[in-house]
Amino acid sequence: MCLLADERKKIIMDILDVEGKVTVRSLAERFGVTTETIRRDLEDLEKLAKLKKVFGGAIKISFDGVEPPYNNRMNLYKSEKKAIGMVAASFVNDNDVIAIDVGTTTLQVIPNLIGKHNLTILVNSVPALTLLIDFINKNLIEGKVIFLGGEINTHQMSSYGPISNKLLKYFYIDKAFIATDGLSIKYGITSFDINEGTFSRMIIDNSKEAIVVADHSKIGVRNFYKIADIDLINIIISDKEPPIEWVDELKNKDINWVTAKN
């Protein structure tokens, strides 16, 4: 099997999603490459905090990971994120008050808001703010943007902290689009960062409807900070079907799982 490095890495992550671990030897045999090539692939993925290298292979990353900078994540699972963003935006109606959490998947909601009218959009993401300003100035989206400013996280290009939290308290939100670093039936939705996670939880608490957008690499992952139990989520949008063992519990908790096809 002759594949490019990016194709190998995507398959490696798919295997980790299902099996939780991989070995260098089995991957080398599967792809018909040297073990050194596989070790380099695993090193690259570890630098992006997508897995943790162990002796002889790698395991699915858990709460001990560190979130890679925003720009490093922009091109990961890009087509999947675009498909998720398209589906997510279909839940937005004219006149809605919406909040868009910080994330590369939530950012993909914005291009699909084109043509919507009289929206009020709350953001604490600098890339989201920049994109919305451009679209509104071009009359592609009609409405107003409220930036929940505060201290700036330069790596994640977002605002956070007591100022942002205080501003958020003034608003009631119809629909919130929530980013997550980990999604688990048992552990709920989790984040690498306590400040981002606290802000996400406040958005959920102030919203009528909480919509989690997460590509398949987040499924089954637990990270350091718990944002909320999964019971507080109304809709989950991902590019893959939920694990079969989650289906009954999602139904019992009245959570609507929507699969976005890319």
Side-chain angles (χ1 to χ4, degrees):
M1 181 185 293
C2 184
L3 297 174
L4 298 174
D6 286 347
E7 294 173 317
R8 288 196 307 272
K9 291 171 189 175
K10 186 177 186 305
I11 293 172
I12 289 169
M13 293 307 304
D14 289 344
I15 296 170
L16 280 174
D17 287 337
V18 175
E19 299 181 8
K21 63 181 180 179
V22 293
T23 67
V24 170
R25 185 178 297 276
S26 65
L27 291 174
E29 291 175 354
R30 176 178 184 138
F31 296 128
V33 296
T34 66
T35 55
E36 285 304 311
T37 297
I38 295 300
R39 289 192 181 95
R40 285 196 295 271
D41 288 345
L42 298 182
E43 286 170 3
D44 290 343
L45 289 167
E46 186 176 48
K47 288 176 183 176
L48 293 171
K50 303 306 294 181
L51 52 75
K52 181 178 178 63
K53 285 181 64 186
V54 296
F55 181 75
I59 59 174
K60 193 169 186 175
I61 201 162
S62 184
F63 62 89
D64 53 354
V66 176
E67 185 173 26
Y70 190 94
N71 283 337
N72 289 14
R73 296 182 282 123
M74 281 297 293
N75 291 319
L76 291 174
Y77 307 111
K78 194 168 185 178
S79 63
E80 290 89 340
K81 291 173 181 177
K82 285 183 176 181
I84 292 167
M86 183 178 296
V87 172
S90 70
F91 287 91
V92 178
N93 300 314
D94 290 347
N95 308 309
D96 274 346
V97 177
I98 67 172
I100 299 177
D101 199 7
V102 174
T104 55
T105 307
T106 47
L107 186 71
Q108 295 299 328
V109 176
I110 294 173
N112 295 288
L113 296 177
I114 289 175
K116 305 283 186 181
H117 299 284
N118 196 33
L119 298 180
T120 299
I121 307 170
L122 281 66
V123 295
N124 67 317
S125 161
V126 175
L129 175 65
T130 302
L131 192 58
L132 284 165
I133 289 172
D134 182 50
F135 284 175
I136 289 174
N137 283 341
K138 292 176 179 176
N139 296 315
L140 298 174
I141 299 173
E142 180 190 306
K144 58 185 175 183
V145 180
I146 298 172
F147 184 66
L148 302 169
E151 184 175 348
I152 298 296
N153 180 330
T154 56
H155 290 291
Q156 304 304 333
M157 295 193 284
S158 62
S159 62
Y160 70 96
I163 298 173
S164 298
N165 295 348
K166 186 174 182 179
L167 287 171
L168 180 58
K169 289 179 181 178
Y170 289 104
F171 299 97
Y172 293 107
I173 300 160
D174 294 314
K175 299 179 180 79
F177 296 95
I178 304 298
T180 182
D181 298 312
L183 174 64
S184 166
I185 281 285
K186 182 177 181 181
Y187 299 108
I189 58 172
T190 53
S191 174
F192 285 107
D193 184 88
I194 190 169
N195 292 304
E196 287 186 5
T198 299
F199 195 80
S200 298
R201 175 56 187 261
M202 290 182 66
I203 295 175
I204 293 170
D205 289 342
N206 283 27
S207 300
K208 292 180 184 176
E209 195 168 38
I211 303 169
V212 166
V213 292
D215 69 71
H216 66 273
S217 69
K218 313 297 174 55
I219 298 173
V221 173
R222 180 191 67 174
N223 284 296
F224 168 70
Y225 182 77
K226 180 178 180 179
I227 299 171
D229 289 322
I230 203 165
D231 309 61
L232 295 183
I233 304 307
N234 303 102
I235 299 169
I236 296 169
I237 306 173
S238 185
D239 57 293
K240 283 192 175 180
E241 299 287 344
I244 190 67
E245 63 271 21
W246 291 18
V247 171
D248 288 342
E249 196 157 358
L250 288 168
K251 185 176 181 181
N252 292 337
K253 295 178 184 298
D254 198 27
I255 299 170
N256 181 18
W257 186 290
V258 182
T259 305
K261 302 296 185 181
N262 62 4

